Amino acid sequence: MKIVICGAGQVGYGIAERLAAEQNDVSVIDSAPELINAIGDQLDVRGFVGHGAHPDVLAQAGAEEADMIVAVTLYDEVNMVACQVAHSLFNVPTKVARIRAQSYLQGRWRNLFSRDNMPIDVIISPEIEVGEMVLRRLALPGAVETVRFADDQVVVVGIMCEDDCPVIDTPLRQLTELFPDLGAVVVGLYRNNRLFVPKSSDSILTGDLAYVVARRDQVRRTLSIFGHEEPEAAKVIIAGGGNIGLYVAKALEQRQSGTKIKLIEASRERAITVADDLKRSVILHGSALDQTILNEADAGDADTMVALTNEDEVNILSSVMAKKLGCKRSLSLLNNPSYPAFANALGIDAFINPRAVTISRILQHVRRGRIRGVHSLQNGAAEIVEAEALDTSPLVGKPLRVIDLPSGIRVGAVFREGKVLTPNGDLQIQAQDRIVIFAVANRVRQVEQMFRVSLDFF
C-alpha cells in the first residue's frame, strides 16, 4: 500500500516504523526538519518537511497515488483539514485522523465526520481508546493485557505465570483434559523475550506471559486457574488529571459506584477544573512523586495505583513508590517502547502503551481481507486478528484437524450467530464465521490471504 503519514512524533514514527517494515510505500510529512531527518535516517520511508494539510506538500508526498492518509499531528484541526484536502483534491480512499478534543466527538455532532461534511473514515481518540483499556484492566486486575473481539464476547488476556501458578509445568494438552468446558485456548507464550505459538506438548513455565483467548463468561475462571483471583479494585489512586485521567475517573464514578477514587494532579488550575467535573472523587493538588501526597491519598491502603501523567518517568517512579508504601497493584502509562522491558522488574504489574493502541487501530484498516479487528502484541512481535471467513477461504468446510496451518498461527475462537465456539479438531468453520486468530509477525500476511476474496493460499 501507498500511505502518507502526517506527523512524525512518537505516534507517527511508530506507525511509519511498523508499516515500512511490512514493505509498504510510506511517506511522512512534518513541519519539524529534525524529526523528518531522524525518521529518514532510521526508517525506509520518504520524508517531507512542510505543513501536513497543504495541498502542495501532500502532492509532493504522493497523495495522488496514496491508498491511505494517516493524520496524527499534535493538532486536531490540522489532522481534519489534511483528510479533507486528501479527499477533495486527491481522492484518497481511506482517511484516518487522530482527534483529541472531546467536543468534536460528542454524540450530538456525530454527522460532522461524514462523507458529505468532513470525510474521515476512521477517528482515533487516544484518550478514549487508552481510557477504555485502563478500565478493562481495572475490571480484570489479574490480567496484564485485555482486548475484546467479536462484539465483546471473546476476550484475549495476557496472564503472568508466577511461582504460585497452579498450572506451571503442565502440558497444554492436559489443561484441555482437566478443564474440557473452560472455553479458553492458550494461543501464545512470551518467554525470554520471544513470543511464539506453543505446541500441545509444551508446558507453561514460571515467568511466562501467556496469551489466552477465552469466552467472556469464562475469563475470571481462566484467571483463577492461572492463579489470579484478585478482586476488582475498591480503592483507586489516579496520578494525573489530564484527559485520560479525567476520562477514567468519570467512567469509574459512573460504572463502579462503590469504588473510592483519589486523583493527584500537579497543576493547581487543572486540579480545580477536574474537581468541577467529578462528583465523588477526592482531588489532591501536588506531585505524585511526593511521599506526603501519596500518604494523604492513603497509598498504603489502596488496591491499585493508576499512573497516567504525560511523563513516563513520573508514572514509573510514582508506581514504585506507591507499591513500597503498601499499594497492592500498579498500572502505568508508558510511551517509551524500551521501558516495558524492565517495568516488571521494578514491580509494575501492568502497563499500557498509547502508541501501540493507536497502531493497532490503524492496522485494522491496513490489513487486507475481511478484517474486523487487530491488536498488536509485544511491539509488533505478533497480532491478534478477528476476520470473517468467506466461501472462498481455505478454512471453510474442513475439520480444523485436517487444515495444515503453518507454525506461528493458532485459531483461538470462532464466533457464529452470536455464540462463541472453542476450536477443536472436529470443528468445521463456515462462511460468515468470525475467527479470532493469533499470528506471529511473519505469518500475518498468510492470515490476510486466508480471508481474501480471491485466493491462491500457501
Side-chain angles (χ1 to χ4, degrees), residues 211-443:
Y211 288 98
V212 185
V213 177
R215 293 201 320 258
R216 184 175 179 177
D217 62 348
Q218 292 290 325
V219 173
R220 291 192 182 279
R221 184 182 172 207
T222 300
L223 289 168
S224 176
I225 288 170
F226 279 78
H228 291 277
E229 297 185 86
E230 297 92 333
E232 283 190 29
K235 298 177 181 179
V236 175
I237 299 173
I238 298 174
N243 290 334
I244 298 174
L246 177 58
Y247 182 90
V248 170
K250 269 187 175 179
L252 285 175
E253 286 189 345
Q254 294 166 4
R255 303 177 194 180
Q256 297 175 213
S257 58
T259 302
K260 295 181 179 179
I261 307 158
K262 294 186 178 178
L263 188 149
I264 302 171
E265 168 54 43
S267 163
R268 180 177 179 81
E269 182 180 353
R270 180 63 182 175
I272 293 171
T273 300
V274 169
D276 290 339
D277 281 348
L278 297 174
K279 296 178 176 62
R280 295 189 295 104
S281 303
V282 175
I283 312 303
L284 301 173
H285 170 229
S287 169
L289 298 180
D290 186 338
Q291 186 166 327
T292 303
I293 292 291
L294 290 175
N295 284 327
E296 191 175 343
D298 294 324
D301 193 40
D303 296 310
T304 306
M305 171 70 162
V306 185
L308 303 174
T309 77
N310 291 324
E311 298 182 44
D312 287 358
E313 293 77 9
V314 172
N315 294 337
I316 291 171
L317 291 173
S318 62
S319 296
V320 171
M321 291 175 65
K323 288 287 292 286
K324 290 292 184 183
L325 291 172
C327 182
K328 297 181 181 66
R329 294 181 295 276
S330 61
L331 171 60
S332 291
L333 198 66
L334 299 180
N335 287 281
N336 189 321
S338 63
Y339 285 171
F342 60 81
N344 286 333
L346 293 173
I348 295 172
D349 301 295
F351 62 87
I352 292 174
N353 184 332
R355 185 171 72 168
V357 175
T358 303
I359 291 172
S360 292
R361 278 293 312 279
I362 291 170
L363 287 176
Q364 178 178 340
H365 301 276
V366 173
R367 297 283 171 251
R368 300 181 185 276
R370 293 291 184 90
I371 306 300
R372 286 174 167 264
V374 174
H375 186 75
S376 180
L377 302 171
Q378 298 294 335
N379 285 327
E383 289 180 16
I384 300 283
V385 177
E386 179 193 344
E388 181 181 338
L390 303 172
D391 291 325
T392 52
S393 171
L395 300 178
V396 169
K398 305 173 188 174
L400 285 178
R401 67 162 50 90
V402 304
I403 298 174
D404 186 21
L405 285 176
S407 61
I409 296 176
R410 174 69 55 84
V411 175
V414 175
F415 187 62
R416 178 184 300 162
E417 296 178 351
K419 294 183 179 179
V420 179
L421 307 178
T422 302
N424 57 48
D426 296 324
L427 180 65
Q428 293 189 27
I429 291 172
Q430 301 175 6
Q432 281 75 57
D433 282 353
R434 289 156 63 178
I435 305 163
V436 178
I437 290 183
F438 176 98
V440 297
N442 62 358
R443 297 296 190 188

Side-chain angles (χ1 to χ4, degrees), residues 61-326:
E64 291 179 89
E65 299 85 29
D67 299 296
M68 175 185 292
I69 181 171
V70 180
V72 288
T73 75
L74 294 176
Y75 307 102
D76 292 352
E77 291 73 19
V78 172
N79 297 338
M80 291 188 287
V81 174
C83 288
Q84 179 72 67
V85 172
H87 172 80
S88 301
L89 298 184
F90 304 109
N91 200 28
V92 177
T94 304
K95 298 158 286 289
V96 181
R98 179 170 66 173
I99 307 294
R100 305 186 70 173
Q102 298 304 297
S103 59
Y104 286 123
L105 305 176
Q106 293 176 15
R108 59 200 291 198
W109 315 124
R110 64 170 58 91
N111 291 328
L112 173 61
F113 301 109
S114 65
R115 191 169 187 84
D116 293 333
N117 295 313
M118 193 164 288
I120 300 175
D121 303 294
V122 183
I123 300 283
I124 297 176
S125 171
E127 284 76 13
I128 294 176
E129 300 277 351
V130 174
E132 286 297 326
M133 186 160 283
V134 169
L135 293 164
R136 289 197 292 270
R137 299 280 181 88
L138 290 174
L140 294 170
V144 299
E145 192 148 9
T146 308
V147 195
R148 293 182 180 179
F149 294 96
D151 300 340
D152 287 349
Q153 297 307 304
V154 174
V155 182
V156 181
V157 288
I159 310 173
M160 281 303 303
C161 303
E162 299 166 352
D163 291 330
D164 58 352
C165 176
V167 295
I168 289 292
D169 296 327
T170 303
L172 295 181
R173 70 163 66 92
Q174 286 189 24
L175 284 181
T176 304
E177 295 167 1
L178 290 169
F179 308 101
D181 62 337
L182 181 59
V185 179
V186 178
V187 293
L189 291 177
Y190 186 65
R191 177 186 299 164
N192 298 327
N193 297 317
R194 175 174 167 257
L195 187 55
F196 63 96
V197 173
K199 300 175 182 176
S200 61
S201 57
D202 287 339
S203 297
I204 294 172
L205 306 180
T206 300
D208 282 354
L209 173 56
Y211 288 98
V212 185
V213 177
R215 293 201 320 258
R216 184 175 179 177
D217 62 348
Q218 292 290 325
V219 173
R220 291 192 182 279
R221 184 182 172 207
T222 300
L223 289 168
S224 176
I225 288 170
F226 279 78
H228 291 277
E229 297 185 86
E230 297 92 333
E232 283 190 29
K235 298 177 181 179
V236 175
I237 299 173
I238 298 174
N243 290 334
I244 298 174
L246 177 58
Y247 182 90
V248 170
K250 269 187 175 179
L252 285 175
E253 286 189 345
Q254 294 166 4
R255 303 177 194 180
Q256 297 175 213
S257 58
T259 302
K260 295 181 179 179
I261 307 158
K262 294 186 178 178
L263 188 149
I264 302 171
E265 168 54 43
S267 163
R268 180 177 179 81
E269 182 180 353
R270 180 63 182 175
I272 293 171
T273 300
V274 169
D276 290 339
D277 281 348
L278 297 174
K279 296 178 176 62
R280 295 189 295 104
S281 303
V282 175
I283 312 303
L284 301 173
H285 170 229
S287 169
L289 298 180
D290 186 338
Q291 186 166 327
T292 303
I293 292 291
L294 290 175
N295 284 327
E296 191 175 343
D298 294 324
D301 193 40
D303 296 310
T304 306
M305 171 70 162
V306 185
L308 303 174
T309 77
N310 291 324
E311 298 182 44
D312 287 358
E313 293 77 9
V314 172
N315 294 337
I316 291 171
L317 291 173
S318 62
S319 296
V320 171
M321 291 175 65
K323 288 287 292 286
K324 290 292 184 183
L325 291 172

Side-chain angles (χ1 to χ4, degrees), residues 24-45:
N24 292 290
D25 183 350
V26 180
S27 299
V28 183
I29 301 170
D30 200 284
S31 57
E34 63 275 13
L35 292 180
I36 291 299
N37 290 336
I39 205 168
D41 290 342
Q42 297 169 31
L43 304 179
D44 184 18
V45 303

